[in-house]
Amino acid sequence: MIFLVGFILLSIGSALSQITVSVSPTASHPIPTTLWGQMYEVNAGDGGLYAELLQNRAFQQVAAGTSAALKAWYSVNSALLTVVNETEPVSSALPNALKVTVASDATGPVGFGNTGYFGMKFTAGNTYNASFYYRFPENPDFIGELNASLQTSAGNVLASTSVLVAGNQTSWKQVFVSLTPDITPDATDNVFVVTTDGAAASGLTINFAMFSLFPPTFKNRQNGMRIDIAEVSTLQAMKPSFFRFPGGNNLVCRGQNTASRWVWNTTLGHLVDRPGRSGDWGYINTDGLGLLEYLLWCEDLEMEPIMAVWAGYGLGGQSIAEDDLEPYIQSAIDQALFIYIAAARRAELGHPEPFKLTYVEIGNEVRPSLRIGRYGYRWNLYVTALQVEFPNLHFIATTFPFNPILDPTPTEYDVHVYQSSTWMSENSFYYDGFQRNGTKYFEGEYATTKNDQGVFPSTTRSTFQYSTVEAATADAVFMTGFERNADIVFAASYAPLLQVNASFFRTILHPNLVVFDAGAVYPSVSYYVQQLFGFYRGDEYIPSTLPARNGTVFWSVVRKTSVINRNDNATDVTFQLPFNVSNTATVTVLTGAKTSANTPSNPDLVLPQTSSIFTGSTFDYSAPPFSVNVLVLNID
């Protein structure tokens, strides 16, 4: 049997004296298998977790004829590019197309390129699968080639292939090509280019629609996830037990446009049939990462989905009237039916087996200042209808617990906490005072965002651009409270999970658990805290001498779990265990200067280090300043 002793140490000024931790021989409660998981927000989907390399690939949600509609696209050799509202669109979901006109005096390769989201990484030996639709609207007498290539920004061709096309192709035809570069460029400012011979095609117009370029994906999923973000070095390595989707504010709509909400059934099927939507922070969602892709992602990482349904309100305070909610409630019912009841549509899409579903959230983050007075009847209408169809599902309320009083009484609440390092450290006992009345709690979003007292978001925003050792250890202090109160806290997920480096979003939502760019991922210090808790998760919580609520030292003891430490000074701890323990143990330590952070320019500054220590039924351990310490002890 494995026994892990977890403790967090926090110094608030004065030096610490010797600490003694006496451990109980028996567990007080089991720890739910769902305790540690992931919360996703879609601003890191397109261009991030979702592996598609081309930005603005289908000209979704843009105004035809504007320069903004050409975002990420550029002309090659003076081709005239215009986004048009097609008279014969490639699909009803995608009304726009790229109109390419070749000048009458053109020579050489003429066409267009795409720069990706923030560049593209091409690796020698990898195969990149590209596709697009084309048609000749004017039916010219033309037979020629379209050349697709991967290039550096300087125009060096890394891989290319050509397809034969004819001018009598006036209806849409899809082309598939595979490109395998034989060198790996040092830089990631690479491009995807499509050209034709200018002299042969002079004066012609060709329309294009629905482009795509995919690298190899995680577990070789078609339309899948980016490997380096998904794989064992990052998200998979966290050993997450659940995945909350489609993300908090991604679920709702922005401004006064309720049509911009996440609509689950428009994210299914062929990419050409997905209209996409305007995101909540000014970006376009392709919805290539749709409901089925979320569910397959859960399946691939053996996570349980926690699904949210739209409750009829948006970020701007607008909402659907009570008497008009019925079709939206039916949509929520249909969504649950698709996921975990026999569904012909799901089988048609290649997954006849139902997915697991236990928890359904009603809405997202109901704040008193916006819509607390209108959530009560929404909760009642949604839950009452859903319970009839799905009596075994659990429904999670997204108001503050018991404010307002809801009918039917929620069995679960989703609580969000973005606070300062001081607040997080002072609130390790946040859940200890909650009543044990059958209600369970989901810490759906939490993070240490400031190094001084205050709530995020605020007028000053967060002071942590990247998670520091100070922030990460404060997270860990708060997380010990989840373990101690795992009889009522059934799940917790840090947020935000992912963020592109050097983008608009960094100024809005930070710190993030993992930062990425076109070429690499950069796990934060807080990421390694989450990884340690997830990897060394406990099965049972073991009572011990409790830390002082207003003290400077905190700890958590579990059977088969993770450990942490936070302190300005090295602190000596004596453990008194009611077990026969082997004389050596493994310790993993995450430590660094208080302000140290992993950044794209210095990504490995703070990393966990593993070594051995001598132990016994009673043993001393010296925890380094500001550190997270995972001790793995074998019980004889």
Side-chain angles (χ1 to χ4, degrees):
M1 180 164 49
I2 299 296
F3 180 70
L4 288 98
V5 178
F7 61 93
I8 295 185
L9 309 180
L10 168 65
S11 173
I12 310 177
S14 60
L16 297 172
S17 58
Q18 176 76 35
I19 303 297
T20 299
V21 178
S22 297
V23 179
S24 168
T26 58
S28 63
H29 58 254
I31 294 176
T33 57
T34 54
L35 184 57
W36 306 121
Q38 296 175 350
M39 176 272 183
Y40 173 77
E41 199 68 87
V42 81
N43 55 292
D46 291 306
L49 181 60
Y50 181 52
E52 173 66 70
L53 293 173
L54 302 182
Q55 183 176 190
N56 192 20
R57 67 182 182 182
F59 314 101
Q60 295 162 285
Q61 307 296 320
V62 299
T66 65
S67 58
L70 285 167
K71 183 176 183 178
W73 296 94
Y74 66 94
S75 171
V76 173
N77 204 5
S78 300
L80 178 62
L81 307 184
T82 310
V83 174
V84 297
N85 194 271
E86 253 282 5
T87 57
E88 299 179 21
V90 69
S91 71
S92 59
L94 301 178
N96 294 331
L98 179 65
K99 179 181 177 181
V100 180
T101 302
V102 181
S104 57
D105 59 350
T107 59
V110 177
F112 51 88
N114 186 288
T115 57
Y117 285 88
F118 31 85
M120 304 184 211
K121 180 181 179 180
F122 296 141
T123 302
N126 281 351
T127 296
Y128 297 80
N129 294 310
S131 64
F132 56 85
Y133 288 82
Y134 77 94
R135 81 180 189 97
F136 289 83
E138 298 171 354
N139 192 20
D141 182 15
F142 171 77
I143 296 178
E145 290 184 338
L146 292 176
N147 179 270
S149 63
L150 309 180
Q151 300 183 13
T152 68
S153 58
N156 298 320
V157 176
L158 304 170
S160 68
T161 190
S162 295
V163 293
L164 188 67
V165 298
N168 61 4
Q169 185 66 50
T170 57
S171 60
W172 290 105
K173 182 175 182 179
Q174 191 173 20
V175 168
F176 297 91
V177 298
S178 295
L179 300 160
T180 305
D182 55 9
I183 64 170
T184 301
D186 293 333
T188 58
D189 57 342
N190 303 303
V191 294
F192 172 74
V193 176
V194 175
T195 59
T196 190
D197 180 72
S202 62
L204 296 185
T205 294
I206 313 174
N207 287 2
F208 294 86
M210 190 55 246
F211 292 85
S212 183
L213 178 65
F214 265 85
T217 60
F218 183 66
K219 294 202 171 183
N220 296 313
R221 288 283 189 190
Q222 186 177 7
N223 196 48
M225 307 301 184
R226 179 172 148 176
I227 290 176
D228 61 346
I229 294 179
E231 68 184 1
V232 294
S233 62
T234 43
L235 300 189
Q236 188 180 34
M238 291 172 63
K239 302 293 184 182
S241 293
F242 70 85
F243 188 69
R244 175 178 170 238
F245 77 94
N249 285 337
N250 178 52
L251 176 71
V252 297
C253 46
R254 64 193 299 256
Q256 299 298 316
N257 181 13
T258 56
S260 68
R261 72 191 187 282
W262 190 75
V263 183
W264 69 273
N265 52 310
T266 65
T267 74
L268 297 175
H270 297 297
L271 298 181
V272 76
D273 295 323
R274 306 187 193 188
R277 57 184 283 261
S278 297
D280 299 320
W281 294 289
Y283 51 83
I284 302 299
N285 294 338
T286 68
D287 281 339
L289 179 51
L291 175 59
L292 186 59
E293 286 77 22
Y294 285 129
L295 294 169
L296 292 172
W297 170 241
C298 289
E299 191 172 87
D300 285 344
L301 264 65
E302 299 180 354
M303 300 181 291
E304 181 172 341
I306 294 181
M307 180 189 79
V309 297
W310 191 60
Y313 55 79
L315 288 177
Q318 76 285 10
S319 61
I320 302 297
E322 181 176 2
D323 293 341
D324 298 328
L325 281 173
E326 193 281 330
Y328 304 100
I329 295 171
Q330 185 60 50
S331 178
I333 292 172
D334 293 343
Q335 184 177 344
L337 285 170
F338 174 88
I339 292 174
Y340 100 126
I341 304 296
R345 178 60 171 148
R346 190 187 62 241
E348 179 185 299
L349 295 173
H351 202 285
E353 303 82 7
F355 292 96
K356 183 177 181 179
L357 185 64
T358 304
Y359 298 102
V360 176
E361 283 195 326
I362 309 301
N364 172 66
E365 214 169 56
V366 182
R367 295 172 181 157
S369 60
L370 292 180
R371 43 189 171 259
I372 198 167
R374 292 170 286 178
Y375 187 76
Y377 68 77
R378 296 175 191 281
W379 168 264
N380 178 273
L381 291 173
Y382 272 80
V383 172
T384 300
L386 285 161
Q387 281 179 333
V388 171
E389 297 285 343
F390 313 105
N392 296 323
L393 289 182
H394 292 249
F395 300 99
I396 304 173
T398 53
T399 60
F400 295 148
F402 310 106
N403 182 16
I405 300 299
L406 300 175
D407 179 32
T409 301
T411 53
E412 287 88 11
Y413 280 95
D414 182 357
V415 181
H416 295 180
V417 173
Y418 293 104
Q419 282 283 6
S420 71
S421 57
T422 301
W423 190 98
M424 298 291 268
S425 299
E426 290 177 347
N427 282 271
S428 172
F429 286 81
Y430 182 83
Y431 284 101
D432 289 63
F434 279 44
Q435 293 184 15
R436 268 57 180 172
N437 58 5
T439 308
K440 305 291 185 179
Y441 300 93
F442 171 31
E443 193 73 28
E445 299 181 27
Y446 68 94
T448 301
T449 59
K450 298 173 71 71
N451 60 12
D452 53 0
Q453 194 70 30
V455 180
F456 174 74
S458 69
T459 55
T460 58
R461 297 297 182 183
S462 165
T463 56
F464 290 128
Q465 181 66 69
Y466 301 101
S467 174
T468 63
V469 170
E470 176 187 5
T473 51
D475 292 337
V477 170
F478 197 54
M479 291 167 72
T480 58
F482 303 158
E483 288 186 330
R484 186 171 59 253
N485 291 281
D487 57 322
I488 60 171
V489 179
F490 72 94
S493 49
Y494 184 101
L497 178 65
L498 295 167
Q499 195 63 71
V500 60
N501 182 43
S503 77
F504 163 79
F505 305 110
R506 286 179 61 213
T507 65
I508 301 299
L509 296 171
H510 57 84
N512 295 268
L513 206 61
V514 177
V515 175
F516 63 90
D517 55 29
V521 294
Y522 312 102
S524 69
V525 184
S526 285
Y527 165 85
Y528 290 109
V529 167
Q530 298 291 324
Q531 184 190 63
L532 289 172
F533 268 100
F535 189 82
Y536 295 106
R537 66 181 60 233
D539 299 319
E540 298 174 310
Y541 178 76
I542 309 297
S544 64
T545 309
L546 278 179
R549 289 174 180 259
N550 60 349
T552 59
V553 181
F554 302 85
W555 57 86
S556 174
V557 182
V558 299
R559 199 186 310 274
K560 192 184 175 187
T561 191
S562 63
V563 193
I564 308 101
N565 162 49
R566 183 177 195 265
N567 188 0
D568 274 325
N569 307 292
T571 302
D572 295 328
V573 181
T574 297
F575 288 97
Q576 296 179 345
L577 308 176
F579 312 104
N580 292 321
V581 178
S582 61
N583 59 8
T584 60
T586 299
V587 59
T588 300
V589 181
L590 180 69
T591 187
K594 182 177 178 179
T595 58
S596 293
N598 295 338
T599 66
S601 60
N602 194 358
D604 298 328
L605 181 61
V606 182
L607 298 175
Q609 303 294 329
T610 300
S611 60
S612 295
I613 59 172
F614 291 106
T615 60
S617 294
T618 298
F619 70 96
D620 295 329
Y621 178 76
S622 182
F626 272 93
S627 63
V628 175
N629 305 260
V630 180
L631 283 72
V632 183
L633 288 79
N634 292 309
I635 300 175
D636 295 337

